[in-house]
Amino acid sequence: MRKELPTIADQVVEVLQRSTPEFSVLPSTVDREDINWAVEQALLTVLGYQDEPSAARPVREPVATPVPIDRARRNLFAALTGDACAPEAPLAELARSARWPLPDTVRAVVLTSPGEAAQLAAVLGDTLLSLADGETCLLVPDEGAGTRATLENVLRGRTAAVGHPVPLGDTASSLNWARRLLALSPSRPGSAPDVVFVDDHLTLLLLLQDESLSRALTARWLTPLDDLTPRQSERLEVTLLAWLEGGGAPEAARTLQVHPQTVRYRLRQIEKLFGAALRDPRTRFELEMTLRSRRLMANVRRRSTRGGRRARGVTTGLRPLGVAREARVNGL
């Protein structure tokens, strides 16, 4: 416990400085080492290792310890991820201080179990560990397919999100999309912890990139459905998406698990509403994008408002169902 305490205290101070305005000004008037020591004493007292905090900090020998290295690694993490608080120093210099050889390609990993972060980082090897807006994150050098297999094995049984492999200069992108994916995949009661990879959800993340653009697509392409009842509109949307994906009425009928004649009847309604536009490949492409993004956005809102409970929507978002399942969910 005492061996890890300086690192833990340093991380606590860093979080306090970022989240508490009053605390952020202390380093200008009090030495950072004194602040860290005070936090260490508070932790020891709260955890029951001493009756009360010591009154004065003992003089420490000026020898290298893991704490400066840890701080150097957090500085390097901040620089790689575009943190505004990162020190203004060349990347190579920060890497030397952190004793972390700069790889060509990296993946970001966002964890939901901070207590295991140091252990996981040690198992993974040359890994940077730090916080990003309060979330515990790792940067892992990517060496191809073997890296994913290693991450799957090490992270098994935990809830985490793994970013896509990127060149070192795009590290912030891998981190941002891993955080976005984790936010879109809340744990459901009774469900097992799960590791999600950005690689597996590129289309979903692309469609969910900007809700205002999704609404703009809806306004542009789905206006012909405005005069229908919600149930009629839902049926035609599901049918249109199945037809766009399958390429024909028989395929759409099999996907929706309804009679082909039902699909043909709905397609005649759709053709009356959309007219010749359905024969244009670009229009069909944008319609499919519109329908998919519309449903994904709706599902994300349901997940957010229901606190992670399973939505009754037309898709699960992170584990895309076929349109047949979407249709059954909506009683079609």
Side-chain angles (χ1 to χ4, degrees):
M1 177 66 187
R2 287 185 180 275
K3 180 180 178 182
E4 297 295 331
L5 197 59
T7 300
I8 296 171
D10 195 52
Q11 292 177 349
V12 170
V13 172
E14 185 172 308
V15 172
L16 288 172
Q17 285 182 300
R18 293 186 179 187
S19 61
T20 309
E22 293 81 0
F23 204 95
S24 64
V25 301
L26 282 180
S28 63
T29 58
V30 183
D31 184 73
R32 173 63 181 261
E33 292 296 327
D34 288 332
I35 298 174
N36 286 16
W37 180 81
V39 172
E40 288 180 35
Q41 295 301 305
L43 289 172
L44 286 170
T45 303
V46 170
L47 294 172
Y49 288 98
Q50 61 186 22
D51 293 333
E52 59 184 24
S54 299
R57 179 167 73 94
V59 177
R60 295 183 179 179
E61 295 295 329
V63 297
T65 67
V67 176
I69 295 175
D70 288 339
R71 188 174 302 121
R73 291 198 161 205
R74 289 197 295 277
N75 287 339
L76 178 57
F77 182 101
L80 289 171
T81 56
D83 191 321
C85 298
E88 294 183 3
L91 204 58
E93 180 181 324
L94 293 174
R96 281 195 298 272
S97 299
R99 300 178 189 176
W100 197 68
L102 293 174
D104 293 328
T105 308
V106 295
R107 284 179 184 261
V109 180
V110 184
L111 304 171
T112 59
S113 51
E116 297 181 301
Q119 179 184 357
L120 293 173
V123 172
L124 289 169
D126 284 335
T127 301
L128 291 183
L129 166 62
S130 190
L131 296 175
D133 294 332
E135 293 182 301
T136 305
C137 306
L138 307 174
L139 292 184
V140 182
D142 185 83
E143 299 175 355
T147 299
R148 169 157 181 162
T150 299
L151 288 168
E152 288 176 338
N153 182 56
V154 172
L155 298 175
R156 184 176 294 115
R158 297 171 175 85
T159 300
V162 180
H164 56 307
V166 295
L168 201 61
D170 292 332
T171 301
S173 176
S174 184
L175 175 61
N176 290 339
W177 286 117
R179 295 178 63 193
R180 174 69 164 147
L181 182 58
L182 189 63
L184 292 172
S185 53
S187 299
R188 296 190 299 270
S191 64
D194 193 18
V195 181
V196 288
F197 285 77
V198 168
D199 293 343
D200 299 333
H201 303 289
L202 296 174
T203 302
L204 176 143
L205 291 168
L206 183 63
L207 291 174
L208 291 178
Q209 195 166 179
D210 192 311
E211 187 168 359
S212 66
L213 289 180
S214 178
R215 288 196 298 267
L217 278 172
T218 297
R220 178 179 183 181
W221 292 113
L222 300 185
T223 302
L225 303 177
D226 286 350
D227 293 334
L228 303 179
T229 67
R231 185 169 180 80
Q232 289 172 330
S233 177
E234 177 66 18
R235 283 179 171 175
L236 294 189
E237 284 186 37
V238 170
T239 303
L240 178 56
L241 182 56
W243 176 74
L244 290 168
E245 290 180 329
E251 293 80 6
R254 283 194 295 271
T255 300
L256 296 172
Q257 297 182 359
V258 298
H259 195 280
Q261 191 58 34
T262 300
V263 171
R264 293 189 182 94
Y265 171 73
R266 294 178 187 172
L267 287 175
R268 286 195 293 271
Q269 291 180 297
I270 290 170
E271 190 171 5
K272 288 180 181 178
L273 291 169
F274 289 91
L278 291 177
R279 292 191 285 274
D280 176 56
R282 179 176 177 178
T283 298
R284 292 199 298 270
F285 172 73
E286 293 202 10
L287 270 171
E288 185 172 349
M289 283 188 61
T290 302
L291 292 168
R292 285 184 172 276
S293 63
R294 175 178 165 89
R295 293 180 184 282
L296 290 171
M297 287 290 185
N299 186 65
V300 169
R301 287 194 294 271
R302 291 189 190 100
R303 282 176 175 268
S304 176
T305 56
R306 296 180 187 183
R309 293 179 307 187
R310 184 166 185 170
R312 294 196 299 265
V314 293
T315 176
T316 61
L318 293 174
R319 298 184 182 278
L321 303 174
V323 180
R325 177 68 180 276
E326 295 178 356
R328 289 198 299 275
V329 170
N330 285 275
L332 299 176

